[in-house]
């Protein structure tokens, strides 16, 4: 999971394995800690809404997960105390080899 702070909120990019984990109902967490503090983000497929508390931001995906799983969709935007954009980031290693093989 890649996380970037933007002027509008937080941008999260997930790969295909992380999307599969969300589909299985598993929460994804990224955390960084330092002496006296830290920060964490949780993507939770079992919850709804965006909740910020201290240095933790939780983004519930339950209602938006079907849209995120749709291959035609690049991602979803969650509104809350901070906007969270969750985007699929599937690199070339995820392409079907048959689609890229020369004829």
């Amino acid at each position: 999971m890649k996380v970037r702070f933007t002027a509008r909120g937080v941008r999260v990019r997930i790969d295909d394995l992380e999307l599969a984990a969300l589909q299985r109902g598993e929460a994804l967490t990224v955390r960084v800690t330092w002496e006296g503090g830290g920060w964490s983000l949780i993507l939770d497929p079992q919850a709804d809404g965006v909740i910020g508390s201290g240095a933790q931001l939780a983004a519930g995906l339950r209602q938006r997960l079907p849209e995120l799983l749709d291959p035609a969709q690049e991602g979803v935007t969650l509104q809350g105390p901070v906007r969270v954009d969750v985007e699929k980031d599937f690199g070339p290693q995820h392409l079907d080899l048959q689609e890229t093989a020369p004829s």
Side-chain angles (χ1 to χ4, degrees):
M1 184 167 35
K2 300 173 189 170
V3 180
R4 186 173 127 198
F5 295 99
T6 69
R8 296 183 302 185
V10 178
R11 181 178 180 204
V12 182
R13 301 194 67 168
I14 59 173
D15 66 24
D16 61 332
L17 298 176
E18 291 164 327
L19 183 62
L22 290 171
Q23 186 175 18
R24 290 189 305 267
E26 301 170 19
L28 303 177
T29 303
V30 63
R31 177 177 295 118
V32 62
T33 57
W34 52 85
E35 187 175 330
W39 175 89
S40 67
L41 169 72
I42 301 167
L43 294 182
D44 189 347
Q46 308 279 337
D48 288 313
V50 177
I51 301 168
S53 177
Q56 179 175 312
L57 182 63
L61 289 166
R62 182 173 41 203
Q63 291 182 357
R64 304 296 302 275
L65 192 56
E67 186 179 349
L68 188 60
L69 291 170
D70 181 345
Q73 298 296 320
E74 292 183 19
V76 297
T77 296
L78 308 171
Q79 300 295 336
V82 64
R83 173 182 165 158
V84 178
D85 294 309
V86 181
E87 302 170 353
K88 294 183 268 189
D89 185 20
F90 300 172
Q93 71 274 18
H94 302 280
L95 294 176
D96 183 351
L97 295 177
Q98 292 178 349
E99 290 178 11
T100 59
S103 300

